[in-house]
């Protein structure tokens, strides 16, 4: 593993269980934007990612980058649609106030409804293997085990 800095705009390469490579861009506040792109070999031209759809933007543990688990392979300007981080939801299973909206840009949260939270990512920090599982499951067309509770919360 190679130590590296967490540099905004950098592209990291994710080896998904030796099956293929996926790519994400480092954003503000520990967030990464994961592109809907995979390849059997290393990406040849990073500019391909400029036209890729977004899979999700989530927060990851800093050491995934700084300890070199996912290597930086270059840098691109951060796309306009990634400049403002999307809202997240917080779910309190055993509380009357069950839902909150969290703004990762400001760190503020406020009470919310289930409907306002539908379709948002849960406020969480993801680890390396959880994200790799999620990418693998997405490309295999199966539900991700790490999102099971989220599916159940919104299954009506």
């Amino acid at each position: 593993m190679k130590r590296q800095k967490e540099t905004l705009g950098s592209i990291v390469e994710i080896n998904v269980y030796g099956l293929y490579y996926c790519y994400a861009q480092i954003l503000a506040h520990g967030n990464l934007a994961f592109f809907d792109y995979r390849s059997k070999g290393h990406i040849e031209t990073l500019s391909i990612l400029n036209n890729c759809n977004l899979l999700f933007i989530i927060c990851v543990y800093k050491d995934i980058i700084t300890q070199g688990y996912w290597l930086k392979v270059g840098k691109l300007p951060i796309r306009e649609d990634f400049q403002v981080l999307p809202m997240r939801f917080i779910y309190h299973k055993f509380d009357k106030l069950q839902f909150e909206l969290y703004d990762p840009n400001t760190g503020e949260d406020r009470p919310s409804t289930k409907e306002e939270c539908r379709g948002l990512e849960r406020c969480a920090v993801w680890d390396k293997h959880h994200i790799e599982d999620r990418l693998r499951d997405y490309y295999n067309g199966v539900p991700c085990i790490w999102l099971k509770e989220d599916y159940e919360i919104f299954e009506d």
Side-chain angles (χ1 to χ4, degrees):
M1 287 183 283
K2 174 185 170 188
R3 294 184 77 72
Q4 53 190 10
K5 290 185 178 182
E6 189 179 38
T7 310
L8 295 182
S10 290
I11 303 297
V12 295
E13 181 177 72
I14 304 152
N15 183 334
V16 181
Y17 300 111
L19 301 170
Y20 41 79
Y21 296 97
C22 293
Y23 297 87
Q25 186 170 38
I26 298 173
L27 306 177
H29 309 295
N31 287 269
L32 272 77
F34 290 81
F35 298 99
D36 189 358
Y37 178 85
R38 67 178 171 163
S39 61
K40 291 283 185 190
H42 302 286
I43 195 168
E44 292 183 21
T45 307
L46 291 180
S47 61
I48 292 170
L49 301 175
N50 287 325
N51 299 317
C52 289
N53 290 328
L54 173 70
L55 287 178
F56 46 84
I57 294 176
I58 55 177
C59 192
V60 303
Y61 284 110
K62 186 175 186 168
D63 70 325
I64 297 171
I65 307 301
T66 60
Q67 297 297 312
Y69 292 106
W70 297 342
L71 293 179
K72 295 191 304 186
V73 294
K75 189 174 180 180
L76 288 172
I78 296 174
R79 292 179 359 189
E80 187 175 326
D81 53 332
F82 298 169
Q83 295 286 330
V84 177
L85 298 171
M87 297 293 283
R88 308 276 164 70
F89 79 92
I90 299 171
Y91 176 67
H92 302 281
K93 193 173 193 170
F94 302 108
D95 191 348
K96 283 186 177 184
L97 168 71
Q98 287 194 323
F99 291 94
E100 291 182 75
L101 281 176
Y102 172 75
D103 185 340
N105 302 286
T106 64
E108 297 175 350
D109 58 78
R110 67 167 176 81
S112 181
T113 65
K114 182 177 180 177
E115 282 310 308
E116 282 182 293
C117 295
R118 188 178 301 279
L120 300 179
E121 289 283 340
R122 186 182 286 219
C123 184
V125 180
W126 288 66
D127 206 349
K128 175 185 176 301
H129 68 279
H130 297 131
I131 296 166
E132 291 170 8
D133 287 350
R134 185 169 173 177
L135 291 167
R136 179 201 59 213
D137 292 348
Y138 171 79
Y139 286 114
N140 286 336
V142 298
C144 176
I145 187 67
W146 307 115
L147 294 172
K148 183 178 187 292
E149 186 177 45
D150 295 359
Y151 299 145
E152 291 169 355
I153 291 169
F154 296 106
E155 71 180 351
D156 53 3

